[in-house]
């Protein structure tokens, strides 16, 4: 890592310097490598050409030898027994041809060697190397490897006549190596030709490098000038997006054109953003990391009763009433990074407390780095005032319906009691009194039951929360309700249902009421089914499901919205408080109760009760 940092310290910082450095690498290295490869390949090709030429000469000598040394000796009437005489005889016959070949190829030496005589037979040109005839090659001479292996070989190094490139061809007659033929050339000649080729490659390489560097230098000056102009224009655009950069020619000019287009688009986007912020009805306030206001739109100014000039640069807390404890979602987002969406709260503005819907989130720059936070304020004060009026009107309307229903429910028993008493007022027969007294008592009991249910409905007690096993509770209620109905009852209870934090007695009342309602709507040949299950509701909250279904007469569609209203009942003797009471009990457990019904097909009532009862939910 330190070596990399050290190297960076020596690299140029300007674009022009980097272009020159890159061009040096791009031009110098390829041309140098190409020159090296050309020189290497040229030298190898030169050596290969020389080698082929030398072997060609060796093959000419091999063809001139004919059947071999023994045949030449036999023609001369000689034998191999007298070594010196045999060498002189063979040399006399072969020297003219070797001199001829050597004369036709200046600088080349050729000759024959006999394995049987272990001597050089001829070495042309003979005027220079005749003294070597009759001598033997030393043991380390590569010619021995050719004689032993029977394969041609090429050697470069010091040999008989100096530092040479020597091509050696074995002489094979009847499958036997009888000697070898060589053709060699002084390495000085080879090196001289290779050096001339190297000079040519070097000249071309250096010329190419200098030309490339010159062109790069000129091009880099032009590019540096154009980029300097664009950079100066960008510096001006920091304060004036309307500034236009004069585009140079070429691709750099296209960059300038695109920068101008982007600046215009950014200017248009800024104008559009400002127009949107100035036009929307919701208040928008932005703060930096220090919590100081950086932007506020006119809607927020009007909502809070402040002026932008008076709050820009000041702490966000200055928008609250002094010494007012207020948990601001914006400041919490600024502190924790956690966004808030749709939080309804009372905002202590300087002039009045507003009821606002607040959403806050972090502000990020183009690199995704948080630079502050923004809050959107929606004024719900007037909506809450209107909603309060509507709720008051709804309560008055509900109270009117309750009073009307109560009057209707009370009037019928009172009318019956009054009629009985008017009849008994003039009756002196004790039997008549005994006959009508139980009827009067039943009417009074009916009034008492109505008043009791009404008190229960009007003054609900808080639920006594404890752990309840719903399946056990339903078993108990079903046994009690089963004696009052002839319908077939089936239980489908989840075996692994967890305990529920609830008021068991209150839930018994709800389930018993639902089963009784189902039995009253179901003929004796019908069936009632009670199901329990567990599911995940909203906010990943686990809830218990209790469903009571029947195949009875069902509920008319126009009555579905009224079944939870007090005193609404389709049964002749019903008070209409049973389902209203059940709804209140389920609400006290922070659950829901829903009804689905099809006339003539049956009704299903579904309870959803959270497994965990949180008292904080009541707040």
């Amino acid at each position: 890592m330190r070596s990399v940092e050290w190297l960076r310290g020596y690299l140029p910082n300007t674009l022009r310097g980097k272009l020159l450095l890159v061009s040096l690498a791009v031009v110098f290295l390829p041309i140098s490598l190409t020159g090296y490869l050309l020189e290497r390949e040229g030298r190898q090709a030169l050596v290969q050409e020389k080698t082929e030429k030398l072997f060609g000469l060796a093959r000419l000598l091999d063809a001139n030898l004919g059947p071999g040394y023994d045949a030449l000796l036999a023609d001369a009437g000689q034998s191999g027994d007298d070594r010196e005489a045999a060498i002189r005889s063979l040399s006399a016959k072969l020297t003219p041809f070797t001199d001829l070949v050597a004369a036709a190829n200046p600088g080349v030496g050729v000759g024959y060697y006999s394995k049987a005589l272990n001597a050089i037979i001829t070495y042309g040109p003979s005027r220079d190397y005749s003294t070597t005839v009759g001598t033997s090659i030393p043991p380390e001479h590569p010619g021995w490897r050719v004689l032993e292996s029977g394969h041609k070989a090429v050697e470069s190094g010091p040999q008989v006549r100096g530092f040479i490139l020597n091509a050696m061809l074995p002489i094979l007659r009847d499958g036997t190596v009888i000697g070898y033929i060589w053709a060699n050339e002084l390495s000085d000649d080879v090196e001289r030709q290779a050096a001339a080729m190297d000079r040519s490659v070097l000249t071309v390489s250096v010329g190419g490098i200098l030309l490339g560097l010159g062109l790069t230098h000129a091009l880099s000056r032009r590019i540096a000038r154009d980029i300097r102009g664009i950079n100066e224009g960008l510096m001006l655009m920091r304060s004036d997006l309307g500034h236009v950069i004069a585009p140079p020619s070429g691709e750099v000019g296209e960059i300038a054109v695109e920068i101008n287009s982007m600046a215009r688009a950014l200017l248009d986007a800024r104008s559009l953003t400002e127009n949107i912020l100035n036009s929307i009805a919701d208040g928008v306030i932005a703060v930096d990391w220090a919590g100081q206001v950086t932007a506020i739109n006119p809607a927020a100014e009007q909502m809070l009763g402040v002026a932008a000039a008076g709050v820009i640069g000041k702490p966000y807390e200055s928008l609250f009433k002094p010494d007012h404890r207020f948990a601001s979602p914006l400041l919490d987002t600024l502190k924790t990074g956690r966004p808030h969406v749709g939080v309804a709260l009372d905002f202590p503005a300087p002039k009045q407390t507003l009821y606002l819907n607040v959403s806050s989130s972090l502000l990020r720059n183009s690199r995704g780095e948080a630079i502050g936070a923004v809050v959107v304020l929606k004024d719900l004060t007037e909506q809450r005032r209107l909603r309060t009026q509507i709720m008051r009107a709804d309560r008055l309307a509900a109270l009117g319906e309750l009073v009307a229903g109560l009057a209707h429910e009370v009037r019928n028993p009172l009318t019956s009691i009054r009629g009985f008493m008017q009849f008994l007022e003039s009756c002196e027969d004790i039997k008549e009194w005994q006959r009508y007294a139980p009827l009067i008592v039943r009417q009074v009991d009916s009034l008492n039951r109505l008043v009791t249910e009404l008190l229960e409905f009007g003054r609900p007690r808080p639920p006594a929360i404890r752990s309840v096993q719903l399946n056990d509770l339903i078993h108990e209620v079903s046994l009690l309700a089963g004696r009052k109905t002839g319908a077939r009852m089936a239980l489908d209870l989840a075996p692994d249902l967890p305990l529920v934090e609830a008021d068991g007695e209150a839930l018994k009342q709800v389930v018993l009421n639902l089963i009784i309602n189902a039995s009253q709507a179901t003929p004796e040949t019908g069936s009632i089914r009670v199901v329990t299950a567990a599911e995940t509701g909203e906010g990943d909250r686990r809830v218990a499901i209790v469903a009571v279904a029947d195949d009875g007469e069902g509920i008319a569609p126009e009555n579905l919205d009224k079944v939870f209203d007090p005193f609404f009942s389709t049964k002749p003797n019903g008070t209409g408080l049973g389902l209203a009471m059940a709804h209140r009990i389920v609400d006290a457990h922070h659950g829901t109760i829903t009804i689905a019904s099809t006339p003539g097909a049956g009704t299903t009532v579904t309870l959803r009760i959270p497994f965990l009862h949180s008292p904080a939910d009541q707040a």
Side-chain angles (χ1 to χ4, degrees), residues 93-114:
K93 287 185 173 292
L94 297 175
T95 295
F97 189 75
T98 56
D99 285 344
L100 178 64
V101 172
N105 298 275
V108 174
V110 292
Y112 292 95
Y113 192 87
S114 171

Side-chain angles (χ1 to χ4, degrees), residues 91 138 302 408:
S91 178
Q302 182 179 3
H408 176 75

Side-chain angles (χ1 to χ4, degrees), residues 222-236:
R222 177 181 176 183
I223 293 176
R225 184 184 66 248
D226 294 343
I227 291 180
R228 185 166 55 251
I230 293 176
N231 189 44
E232 292 172 355
L234 288 173
M235 296 293 290
L236 294 174

Side-chain angles (χ1 to χ4, degrees), residues 6-28:
W6 175 83
L7 181 61
R8 287 177 179 173
Y10 289 91
L11 293 177
N13 295 322
T14 63
L15 176 62
R16 184 181 178 187
K18 292 177 180 178
L19 284 174
L20 289 174
L21 182 62
V22 171
S23 67
L24 182 63
V26 171
V27 174
F28 177 77

